[in-house]
Amino acid sequence: MTIAALEKDQTELTTNYEGFVTRKIQEGKLHDLFKFQMQVIHQIKNWKDESEKIEIIDHIITIFKEACQEVVICQNCAQPFNFRHCKNPSETEETVRHAIELSCNDCGDYFTIAEGREVVTHFNWNVLGIVEDLRRGSRGFTIKYTLADLGNPALINIPNNGGRPVVWIDGNRVLRKEDALKYWERAKSFLKGGKKQTDIPELQWYETEEAKVFIM
């Protein structure tokens, strides 16, 4: 077989793989495909060296990028996402963990698909920004943002030791800055009017060893 024939076969294989990736991403399987592809690459043991492995990963993720830019758009804005390939140091091994980040300039939505994570991280930069602005201007109580699962969009935490109350915003559930402002205004009204009461009917609550927690 001639070199030209080999090059033709290589081109056909690449084209077929690109089409396969595009179809799967269009079906909403970007996360599953990324996880599977990375697992397959890491199971291969006969790389010449680590640089060859990294080169293949870079090439594959470039194909993912081109497919995403072709078929993936923000559901809020109908605009293409920014695509970023991240390489993060592993906490347990002398290697890197690869991740894909998709972000929207218009609405601030941000998604991360990463090795070692079973779920897609989704939050909104604009919500994070408004929470930080509110925190800087808060008096008497404060507001904080978290990607930990609170079980509810927002909670009011009132320490039993008389410490400063905290309005917690769950970044996984609150994805519009207007909603963050709504919870902030409701919390302000509640805290100014009855932070020492535990029988206010409009908010359910429970108690821990450290605090009373009101569900918003």
Side-chain angles (χ1 to χ4, degrees), residues 8 29 59 112 198:
K8 180 182 178 182
K29 296 180 179 178
H59 178 64
T112 303
T198 56

Short mmCIF file of all heavy atoms in Angstrom, two decimals, residues 8 29 59 112 198:
data_model
loop_
_atom_site.label_atom_id
_atom_site.label_comp_id
_atom_site.label_asym_id
_atom_site.label_seq_id
_atom_site.Cartn_x
_atom_site.Cartn_y
_atom_site.Cartn_z
N LYS A 8 -4.96 8.61 2.62
CA LYS A 8 -6.38 8.66 2.29
C LYS A 8 -7.21 7.93 3.34
O LYS A 8 -8.25 8.42 3.79
CB LYS A 8 -6.61 8.03 0.91
CG LYS A 8 -8.08 8.04 0.49
CD LYS A 8 -8.26 7.36 -0.87
CE LYS A 8 -9.75 7.34 -1.26
NZ LYS A 8 -9.96 6.65 -2.54
N LYS A 29 -25.11 14.09 24.12
CA LYS A 29 -24.27 13.11 24.81
C LYS A 29 -22.81 13.55 24.93
O LYS A 29 -21.90 12.72 24.99
CB LYS A 29 -24.36 11.76 24.09
CG LYS A 29 -25.77 11.18 24.13
CD LYS A 29 -25.85 9.84 23.41
CE LYS A 29 -27.26 9.28 23.50
NZ LYS A 29 -27.40 8.00 22.76
N HIS A 59 -5.75 16.62 20.03
CA HIS A 59 -6.37 16.48 18.71
C HIS A 59 -7.84 16.11 18.85
O HIS A 59 -8.70 16.68 18.16
CB HIS A 59 -5.63 15.41 17.91
CG HIS A 59 -6.22 15.15 16.56
ND1 HIS A 59 -6.26 16.09 15.55
CD2 HIS A 59 -6.83 14.03 16.06
CE1 HIS A 59 -6.86 15.59 14.48
NE2 HIS A 59 -7.21 14.34 14.76
N THR A 112 -19.07 23.04 32.94
CA THR A 112 -17.77 22.36 32.96
C THR A 112 -17.99 20.86 32.94
O THR A 112 -18.75 20.31 33.75
CB THR A 112 -16.96 22.73 34.22
OG1 THR A 112 -16.78 24.13 34.28
CG2 THR A 112 -15.59 22.06 34.19
N THR A 198 -39.37 32.26 65.11
CA THR A 198 -39.24 30.98 64.42
C THR A 198 -40.60 30.44 63.99
O THR A 198 -40.70 29.32 63.51
CB THR A 198 -38.55 29.93 65.32
OG1 THR A 198 -39.30 29.83 66.54
CG2 THR A 198 -37.13 30.33 65.61
#
